[in-house]
Every structure is written in structure tokens, then in C-alpha cells.
Amino acid sequence: MMHNPLRPTSPLRLVDAPPAPSSATPQPIIRVEDLSIVFDAQRGQIIAVDRVSLDVMSGEFVSLVGPSGCGKSTLLNAMAGLERPFEGQVMVAGGPMLGRRPDVGMVFQQPHLFPWKSVRRNVAHGPRALGKSKTEALRIADDLIEMIGLTRFASAYPHTLSGGMQQRVAIARALANQPRVLLMDEPFGALDAQTRAVMQDNLLELRDRINATIVFVTHDIDEAILLSDRVLIMSAGPGRILRDLCVNLPRPRSSAILTDPAYLALKRDCLDLIRTEGRKAFEQMETAT
Amino acid sequence: MSAGGRARANAARRLSVLVGALSVPAFVGLWELVARSRIVNAVLFPPPSTVAVAVLDWIHSGQFFGDLSASLFRVTAGFAIGATAGIVLGVLTGEFRLVSSLLSPLFHILRPIPPIAFVPIVILWFGLSETGKLFLVVWGVFFTVWLATHIGVHKVDRGLIRAALMLGTPRRQMLSEIVLLGALPYIVVGLRTAVSISFYTLVAAELAGAFAGIVYRIEIAQQNMQTGQVMGGLAALGLLSFVADRSFAAIAERAVWWR
Ligand SMILES: Nc1ncnc2c1ncn2[C@@H]1O[C@H](COP(=O)(O)OP(=O)(O)OP(=O)(O)O)[C@@H](O)[C@H]1O
Ligand SMILES: [Mg+2]
């Protein structure tokens, strides 16, 4: 869903998200209900996600932020159907996340491109897997490759590309199936600050063109606020959602807002929350060992 | 490095190339001299010239190509069957835990037994037929390729599998493309080892009794005290396995085409 130009462009404010009004609003496309995920480790069980419930509305851009090890990836993987719920459930577009769900796309922290395929064939992989003809799949791929500005590299193999280029290909590949939901796990985490800023602007631009709901994991609070409609702050293990913050910033946004004083004040509040949580997590680890 | 140092390094490199080029001719020449000088028994250690004559006779008699094609057939057919079975079963045991529980213990027990030790039982089972010879080569090749594939499948980047899953890759394509190509670098190493193993087992198979073949010819020549022919046969076998290894290395380089 595109940005609504009629939305009040109120002064920079981070406020708790209001409870979703009942009518005339987009339906939740992702519904996480009482989800717990438990791992078996050597020293007993680890509760990575602890009874988390959340809704993501159709068209929303939601970020998950929290200290390292708090269960962000695990929660996202559960939304992708890559992690089995221990308790509770994940519904995407009304259905459970079981089996193949090509309407849900994923971009991982590492690009994970198929090294034996050219850029073109990597992007065409999804449509081919879904039974589209070769010509059709390659046409989709070429359009997306143009969109990410890598037409010159269409026939190159992944290992000949830089990290940023590879991650762009990974995004294009995930978009090739026209997913209704795009899950992104620290997709820019491995990039340098400069490339990262360019990629963020690219993603904002891209988002206006594709019609997808995006859930974005990051531990960079700037990135989260810049990109999102909502920021979910997770508490340290066991993973819970601590705060659900609505970002009322005008769109289109660019990295320019990052120097706005009001923005900075709000960022400080966010950081304090995360820092307290991080310290708690650290102390828990200390006492556990 | 100083100019003098570089010149010295250059000279050293040129010297080693020269010595390398002379290594085989020098050895053959020395052998010829020693064999002709009657220091050693020329019947047991015939000079290279005698070996060359024996090889020419072998070729002219028409037997050489019969022997060559018999041996080549056993090696290539045995390799193809053993490698295919090894790859297929390696993917299955690597990917499906149940299949692995069923077969891996068995394979791990059978694998360390040297294939040559199976010659007696193979003769009982198959007599002197071609099937028995193929069986030995297949046996030797299979376990090497199976193990390499099994390990390779386990080493396939989990991230690639997850990425492929998220793109809706069907199960069949997952095995035949993502898992197989992901494991390919390991499989290729296993295949290359299997090339030399196929020659070891060929020797065992032909020594066990055959009607044609390079090793068979060596054995016949030995019984007739034709040492020149024996050594000619050894040279032919060495050359054949050298060529096979080198061509496989060249193919292997291209097999993992994306690197
Ligand atoms: N496969 C696994 N087996 C056992 N424990 C796991 C596994 N995956 C994650 N965990 C544990 O679950 C917890 C949450 O991990 P997760 O990867 O979701 O954290 P994260 O928030 O994504 O951290 P980061 O920001 O460092 O990526 C951690 O304590 C981790 O040790
Ligand atoms: Mg993570």
C-alpha cells in the first residue's frame, strides 16, 4: 500500500500505536498469536520467543529492533515458516505458514545467491520454480534488474559482485514472485555506512513501487525510524515485544531527517529503552553462567 | 629483492625447468646403459629399446587395440555406473535421515574392505564373466563417490536451501538443483579419487582371469617370460591412467563452472 498523502504530517512524534480501529482499516496481513519458540541447546531449552502476539496491517512497514540475541531473527523466521512454533501460531494472509508460501518473500542478512547462476537466472529462479515459462521468468527478472540498476551485470555471477550489489540482487530475487509480504533480516547489516545509506534510500523508493507489506529486522534504530511506519522494540531474552511505537514522520523520507533535532530527541528515548534492555540481557547472561 | 637476487632466482628457475625436462630421458638412457652393460640380467631387466620393440609388436599383432578397448570399457563403464549410483545414493542418504539410518551403517562397514579382497568371491559369483569385472570396478568407485556426495550434501549452505524454500522451489528441484549443485565441489573431488581407484580395481579384476585387457596381457607375458612386453604393458597402463587423471582434472575444473 502506498503512502497516504492525506495523513497528517504532524511534528516529529513517536507515540504508542493506537489500537487498530475496527472498520475501514486495512486487515492484518500477518497475525502472530501467542507465539513461543523454544530451542534445544546443550544446557537445556532456550526460549527464543516468548508468547509474542502482534498484527501487521496490509501495506505497513514494520521494524523489529532489539539487542543481539533477543529473538528477532527467530520471530522473523517463524513468520517465514522456517521455524516451527512451539506454541501459538502465525497466520499470513489468512493461512497458516506451512509448506510452500511463495506469497511471502525473504531477504536474509547474507545474500545467499545461488553461486552457479548468473544474476538474471538468480532473479528468475522464483518465477521458474512457480511454473512460469522461461521467457516470462527472464522478462520479470530483467525488469527487476533494471529497477535495482544492475542491468550491466545481468549475466555476471554473484561472486564477481560487491556485497551491496549482491544484496540488491537478493532483494530483486525476493520480489520476483511479487510477494504480498516481504521479510527482511538485517539485509544491510553487512554493508558499510555509505552503501547502507544508499540502499536505504533505494528501499524507500522501491517500497513506493511494489505493493508489499514489509517486516524489517535491524538493530540500527536510525534505520528503523527512517524506514518504518511502526517500530517494535523487543526485550532481551526471553524474546518479547516491549513497545510498539508508531512513527509519525512525513513521507517521502530521506536520510536528511536523521539530523533533525526533534528526531534526535526521540531516537534518544528509543536508545534508552534498548540500552536498558541490553544491559538486562547482559546481566542475565552473567548470572546464568 | 636486488637485481642480483632476481637474476639468481631466474637462473634457479631455468635450471629446475631444464632438470625437469631431462628427468625422464635421463632415466631411460641410464636404464638402457645399465641393461646393456650386463651388470644386470637382461632377461629380467630388458633395455627400453627391447620394451619399445615389444610394444610395436603388440600393436602390429592387432592385440593392443583389443586389450585397450577391453580395459577401457571396464574402467569407463564401471566408473559411470559406480559414480552414478554413488551420487544418487549420496544425495538420498545426505538428505533423508531415514535413508541414512538404513544405509549408512552398512556402507561404513563395507567401505573400508579393499575391493581387491572381493576377487575370490566375485569369481565364485560371476566366474570369469565381464559382469564380475564390472562389479569390482563399480564396487571400488561407488563407496568413494557415495561418501564424498554424502558429506557434500551435509555441507551445502543451509542459507541457500532456505532461500530456495522461500522462493517456492519444488522438492524435486531442491534435490536435483540446489542440493546437487551445492554439493558439486565435494562430489568432484570424490570423482577424481575414484578415477585412480577404478584403475586399481581394474588390475585386480583382470588378474583374476580375463580373455583380453592390458593387465591380462601383462600377466600372459609374465608367464612366457616376455619381460619387455610386461614392461610395455605397465607403461601403457601408466600412460592410460595418467591421461584419464589429467583429462578428469580438466573436466573437474569446468564442472564447477561458477568459480
Ligand atoms: N538453531 C538454534 N539453536 C539453538 N538456539 C538458537 C538457535 N537459533 C537461535 N537460538 C537462540 O535463540 C536466541 C535468539 O536468537 P536470534 O538469532 O533470533 O537472535 P537475534 O535477535 O536475531 O540476534 P542478532 O541481532 O544477533 O541477529 C538466542 O539466544 C540464540 O542463542
Ligand atoms: Mg539475527
Side-chain angles (χ1 to χ4, degrees):
Chain A
M1 198 131 307
M2 306 277 165
H3 158 65
N4 177 2
L6 297 178
R7 182 196 266 159
T9 51
S10 53
L12 251 30
R13 270 188 323 133
L14 272 175
V15 294
D16 282 334
S22 55
S23 65
T25 48
Q27 288 303 299
I29 187 161
I30 303 175
R31 171 149 261 180
V32 176
E33 284 174 336
D34 261 337
L35 180 74
S36 296
I37 290 178
V38 175
F39 289 115
D40 292 315
Q42 292 106 315
R43 295 186 296 150
Q45 294 190 316
I46 293 176
I47 303 172
V49 172
D50 189 17
R51 282 162 293 161
V52 165
S53 295
L54 66 95
D55 282 352
V56 177
M57 297 300 150
S58 188
E60 249 184 335
F61 193 125
V62 174
S63 283
L64 279 171
V65 192
S68 184
C70 72
K72 305 182 291 292
S73 296
T74 309
L75 179 54
L76 199 75
N77 285 339
M79 291 184 196
L82 294 172
E83 216 69 77
R84 213 164 259 290
F86 179 76
E87 259 173 12
Q89 60 173 348
V90 177
M91 306 282 279
V92 175
M97 279 309 290
L98 292 170
R100 293 198 296 147
R101 285 294 302 268
D103 55 337
V104 178
M106 178 97 163
V107 177
F108 301 86
Q109 182 159 3
Q110 256 66 48
H112 292 315
L113 299 176
F114 305 122
W116 52 83
K117 288 187 154 173
S118 64
V119 166
R120 243 178 135 215
R121 304 253 163 191
N122 260 285
V123 180
H125 182 96
R128 281 296 279 158
L130 297 190
K132 289 223 163 66
S133 77
K134 199 170 192 166
T135 21
E136 173 73 355
L138 287 177
R139 199 189 50 73
I140 295 174
D142 288 339
D143 285 352
L144 283 165
I145 291 168
E146 198 186 330
M147 189 157 91
I148 57 167
L150 287 181
T151 304
R152 248 165 27 89
F153 297 90
S155 52
Y157 280 90
H159 76 278
T160 63
L161 305 181
S162 73
M165 288 152 93
Q166 290 188 25
Q167 200 54 287
R168 257 142 79 195
V169 177
I171 294 172
R173 182 178 64 173
L175 292 177
N177 280 344
Q178 291 187 290
R180 299 182 61 191
V181 172
L182 185 60
L183 307 171
M184 306 179 93
D185 191 356
E186 297 191 46
F188 310 144
L191 305 179
D192 62 275
Q194 237 170 327
T195 315
R196 182 173 241 230
V198 173
M199 298 287 285
Q200 288 165 353
D201 287 342
N202 279 347
L203 182 61
L204 282 174
E205 220 175 278
L206 199 75
R207 195 218 165 192
D208 291 340
R209 281 195 256 174
I210 57 168
N211 201 17
T213 308
I214 299 179
V215 182
F216 190 98
V217 167
T218 177
H219 50 233
D220 180 345
I221 192 72
D222 286 324
E223 188 169 69
I225 299 176
L226 170 68
L227 297 174
S228 323
D229 302 314
R230 261 163 77 206
V231 178
L232 306 182
I233 298 186
M234 285 185 74
S235 74
R240 289 204 191 103
I241 303 236
L242 193 70
R243 291 286 286 277
D244 185 341
L245 298 165
C246 188
V247 185
N248 276 334
L249 286 173
R251 282 186 194 272
R253 299 179 195 159
S254 76
S255 24
I257 60 157
L258 297 182
T259 48
D260 192 301
Y263 165 84
L264 287 173
L266 292 162
K267 179 185 162 191
R268 185 159 0 100
D269 290 347
C270 261
L271 281 177
D272 283 347
L273 247 165
I274 292 174
R275 202 162 289 144
T276 326
E277 277 313 303
R279 201 168 302 131
K280 256 193 238 162
F282 193 74
E283 277 156 16
Q284 273 173 11
M285 269 198 295
E286 294 277 277
T287 49
T289 47
Chain B
M1 197 189 281
S2 71
R6 198 173 308 132
R8 226 172 302 133
N10 262 335
R13 189 166 339 116
R14 233 172 286 141
L15 183 67
S16 84
V17 169
L18 189 70
V19 170
L22 287 179
S23 156
V24 173
F27 174 74
V28 171
L30 189 67
W31 173 13
E32 182 84 33
L33 277 181
V34 171
R36 288 199 179 277
S37 68
R38 302 191 180 281
I39 302 171
V40 295
N41 184 342
V43 175
L44 294 181
F45 298 95
S49 48
T50 311
V51 174
V53 170
V55 169
L56 284 178
D57 281 350
W58 189 15
I59 295 173
H60 283 168
S61 72
Q63 285 173 330
F64 176 74
F65 289 102
D67 290 334
L68 182 69
S69 56
S71 293
L72 263 183
F73 170 76
R74 289 169 194 143
V75 163
T76 45
F79 183 85
I81 297 171
T84 310
I87 291 172
V88 170
L89 281 167
V91 168
L92 293 180
T93 58
E95 188 67 15
F96 302 105
R97 186 169 298 178
L98 197 65
V99 181
S100 180
S101 309
L102 183 69
L103 297 178
S104 295
L106 183 69
F107 289 173
H108 279 299
I109 287 174
L110 293 176
R111 193 176 59 85
I113 307 174
I116 300 175
F118 284 88
V119 167
I121 193 84
V122 164
I123 291 178
L124 287 182
W125 287 343
F126 302 102
L128 297 183
S129 68
E130 275 314 295
T131 321
K133 293 174 184 50
L134 274 183
F135 176 88
L136 279 174
V137 179
V138 169
W139 188 269
V141 168
F142 171 76
F143 289 106
T144 307
V145 176
W146 167 74
L147 188 64
T149 309
H150 181 83
I151 291 173
V153 167
H154 281 265
K155 302 254 171 164
V156 174
D157 182 0
R158 293 293 110 182
L160 288 184
I161 306 255
R162 289 189 149 194
L165 268 179
M166 292 311 295
L167 292 168
T169 312
R171 182 99 217 176
R172 284 253 320 256
Q173 191 186 359
M174 196 66 115
L175 285 185
S176 65
E177 185 190 332
I178 312 295
V179 172
L180 193 62
L181 290 183
L184 191 61
Y186 290 86
I187 297 176
V188 164
V189 172
L191 288 175
R192 181 146 183 214
T193 317
V195 169
S196 40
I197 288 180
S198 66
F199 278 92
Y200 294 142
T201 42
L202 173 78
V203 173
E206 291 192 3
L207 283 182
F211 305 105
I214 291 177
V215 182
Y216 160 78
R217 194 62 56 198
I218 292 175
E219 203 188 9
I220 296 292
Q222 177 245 333
Q223 284 162 11
N224 297 332
M225 275 305 275
Q226 297 164 318
T227 24
Q229 167 80 76
V230 170
M231 290 187 174
L234 286 177
L237 190 65
L239 193 67
L240 189 62
S241 107
F242 174 79
V243 168
D245 182 65
R246 276 311 147 101
S247 14
F248 193 85
I251 294 170
E253 204 131 284
R254 282 168 191 79
V256 188
W257 71 85
W258 57 91
R259 286 211 285 225

